Amino acid sequence: MKSTAILIAEGDELLRRDLKGRLFHHGFQVIEAPDRTDILPFFLDTKPDLVIIGPSSANAWDELKVAEQIRQRDRKVPLILITRHSSETRVIGALRAGVSDYFKVPFSHRAGSTGVRYAVNRGERITKKLNHP
């Protein structure tokens, strides 16, 4: 059986490594988008089952714009946004961009794991509906 592939586009190297280790421990295949990478072509090349988007440490991307671009190309892939700054405007922007879940750093291991599992399960249900109307 194919392992669920998760693309992590997170500029903070320590957080990215921590996420990678936790996800790998739970049996996921982890793909890392290096900082300073144009995320959309990387997403299109790797075709992950879930995308986790955090801010770029080099300001190479804006998380909400990346989410919108991915959502325009793929309506079903779950998107999780990680942010360091939160506001009502930002949460509304994330929802409008098609983000499935939203975490403000710091967040607990349990909350992150639950969010990933929920997003993966939701993505699988959407795919099944699209393939078997």
Side-chain angles (χ1 to χ4, degrees):
M1 186 169 134
K2 178 185 159 249
S3 176
T4 300
I6 300 176
L7 172 61
I8 301 176
E10 166 58 55
D12 181 324
E13 185 178 347
L14 291 175
L15 180 56
R16 189 174 61 245
R17 277 194 278 165
D18 182 54
L19 285 169
K20 180 181 179 178
R22 290 178 185 193
L23 294 169
F24 184 77
H25 176 75
H26 287 286
F28 297 107
Q29 175 191 354
V30 180
I31 307 162
E32 293 179 84
D35 207 17
R36 302 181 192 271
T37 299
D38 190 4
I39 303 305
L40 185 60
F42 198 80
F43 165 78
L44 295 171
D45 287 343
T46 59
K47 297 177 178 60
D49 301 299
L50 168 70
V51 181
I52 299 175
I53 308 165
S56 166
S57 62
N59 294 320
W61 66 76
D62 174 274
E63 311 93 83
L64 294 180
K65 286 182 183 177
V66 170
E68 289 170 355
Q69 291 171 346
I70 289 173
R71 188 54 72 223
Q72 288 171 359
R73 302 289 178 112
D74 188 325
R75 303 288 306 159
K76 66 181 190 281
V77 68
L79 304 173
I80 294 178
L81 184 77
I82 296 175
T83 186
R84 281 153 189 77
H85 309 286
S86 186
S87 67
E88 183 177 340
T89 303
R90 188 146 182 85
V91 172
I92 291 169
L95 292 172
R96 287 184 177 154
V99 170
S100 309
D101 210 339
Y102 181 98
F103 293 100
K104 183 177 182 302
V105 175
F107 57 92
S108 72
H109 172 68
R110 186 177 190 179
S113 296
T114 301
V116 167
R117 288 190 189 288
Y118 176 78
V120 167
N121 290 336
R122 182 174 181 263
E124 289 172 355
R125 287 192 311 270
I126 290 171
T127 300
K128 285 178 185 175
K129 282 184 181 180
L130 291 174
N131 292 333
H132 304 315

